[in-house]
Amino acid sequence: MEAGPVEAVGQALDFTEDFTRELPCEDGIPLENLWHRLQINLLDDCVHQLWRGRTDFYAGGNMFVYYSLQQVQRQDYKGPDFFVVKDVDGSYVRPCWVAWREGGRLPDVIVELLSPSTRGVDLGAKKALYERVFRTREYFCYGPDPTQGGEPELLGWVLGRDGYEALAADERGWLWSRVFGAWVGEWEGEYHGARSRWLRLYDAEGRLIPTEAEAERKRAEAAQAETEAERRRAEAAEARAAALEAELARVQALLSNQPEKPSQP
């Protein structure tokens, strides 16, 4: 087992700001394809909508996570496809996640996108790293890419006393995340012009957590519906007023056409 992040950082080196600035933040290797990039963006989008207005978390994707000097010495710079760290200042963007600059905080939840070339590592060495070193509370794997003819599967684990314990899916195939307080499950539809099967979040009642664009569209539709309802209410009020005016005119006409009563002797 590798040293934990706090021990490795504290015992091995005083990580100065100058040293941190020299850490690589990208390896120049592109994501496998468009689906992978969009799926990471979609998860980030959904998490920010789930916790809309909050700044006490950080969501990152396809970026390096630094946790120890040994990692730096090995030049092992790869990071998770997607991760979320809670109870941190999420109001600014980091080029990479450096644990010793974040109070030793490491991801609370990680999502890896499976592919034939990465499946073995994602379910082997990476899973062990997240379990034993990061102590990441929840780990999810989803893939392979359905746009390439794959039949995606969703796997998940929660950190228990003795390590990762597999999460049991419900009848929909969804997995409950305590970190998110939401369901993690598949959704089929269009995102940024690409139609596919995607991994998304659902609230406790099973309602889809919308993306920012979907939320804006719903707000616009609701505003349009309210405008239309207001127009119908105004038309109904005008119709009632016109009907009342017509009835008043009819009564006045009847009264004006009645013969005068003869005067009493």
Side-chain angles (χ1 to χ4, degrees):
M1 181 185 299
E2 299 184 46
V6 175
E7 290 81 6
V9 170
Q11 296 174 8
L13 181 67
D14 177 16
F15 286 92
T16 64
E17 185 67 21
D18 288 338
F19 177 81
T20 298
R21 289 197 190 100
E22 296 175 359
L23 292 175
C25 289
E26 60 181 44
D27 55 13
I29 301 175
L31 290 170
E32 291 201 13
N33 54 35
L34 176 63
W35 181 83
H36 280 78
R37 178 171 63 82
L38 290 179
Q39 177 62 86
I40 292 170
N41 292 344
L42 176 56
L43 287 171
D44 182 79
D45 197 343
C46 292
V47 170
H48 279 88
Q49 288 301 305
L50 175 69
W51 291 332
R52 186 177 177 84
R54 289 173 52 176
T55 59
D56 61 345
F57 72 94
Y58 184 81
N62 191 37
M63 60 186 290
F64 295 157
V65 173
Y66 288 99
Y67 60 91
S68 73
L69 174 62
Q70 287 81 4
Q71 174 201 15
V72 177
Q73 291 172 330
R74 293 193 305 267
Q75 297 185 1
D76 181 13
Y77 299 136
K78 296 186 183 303
D81 286 328
F82 181 75
F83 68 90
V84 174
V85 187
K86 299 182 71 175
D87 302 320
V88 296
D89 181 3
S91 63
Y92 64 97
V93 176
R94 285 86 160 166
C96 55
W97 186 266
V98 184
W100 53 88
R101 295 185 61 188
E102 308 286 351
R105 300 287 292 115
L106 285 164
D108 290 284
V109 60
I110 287 174
V111 179
E112 292 286 5
L113 302 177
L114 299 175
S115 69
S117 62
T118 66
R119 182 184 178 87
V121 174
D122 292 336
L123 299 181
K126 280 191 172 183
K127 181 170 177 281
L129 175 69
Y130 303 153
E131 175 186 34
R132 302 171 188 174
V133 181
F134 284 21
R135 303 296 290 172
T136 295
R137 292 164 58 191
E138 293 176 346
Y139 178 41
F140 297 96
C141 289
Y142 180 67
D145 175 6
T147 67
Q148 301 296 320
E151 183 61 29
E153 62 177 332
L154 174 60
L155 305 171
W157 297 266
V158 61
L159 191 64
R161 180 178 300 178
D162 298 321
Y164 275 147
E165 301 170 358
L167 289 167
D170 69 356
E171 65 279 2
R172 299 164 295 193
W174 298 357
L175 302 176
W176 177 253
S177 167
R178 291 186 179 180
V179 175
F180 290 134
W183 292 99
V184 179
E186 274 194 323
W187 173 81
E188 186 168 351
E190 186 174 304
Y191 180 67
H192 280 226
R195 176 164 290 277
S196 185
R197 291 161 64 180
W198 309 95
L199 192 64
R200 295 193 58 170
L201 301 179
Y202 298 81
D203 68 16
E205 286 70 42
R207 293 172 299 217
L208 184 69
I209 301 299
T211 63
E212 182 178 7
E214 289 168 345
E216 290 179 354
R217 184 164 58 249
K218 285 184 178 180
R219 288 191 290 269
E221 290 172 352
Q224 184 177 2
E226 178 58 29
T227 299
E228 179 64 21
E230 182 62 31
R231 184 187 64 78
R232 289 195 297 268
R233 288 193 292 268
E235 289 178 348
E238 290 177 1
R240 289 193 298 271
L244 181 59
E245 184 177 351
E247 179 63 16
L248 180 60
R250 187 184 68 82
V251 171
Q252 290 175 339
L254 289 175
L255 292 176
S256 64
N257 291 332
Q258 285 185 354
E260 294 186 5
K261 293 182 180 180
S263 58
Q264 297 295 326

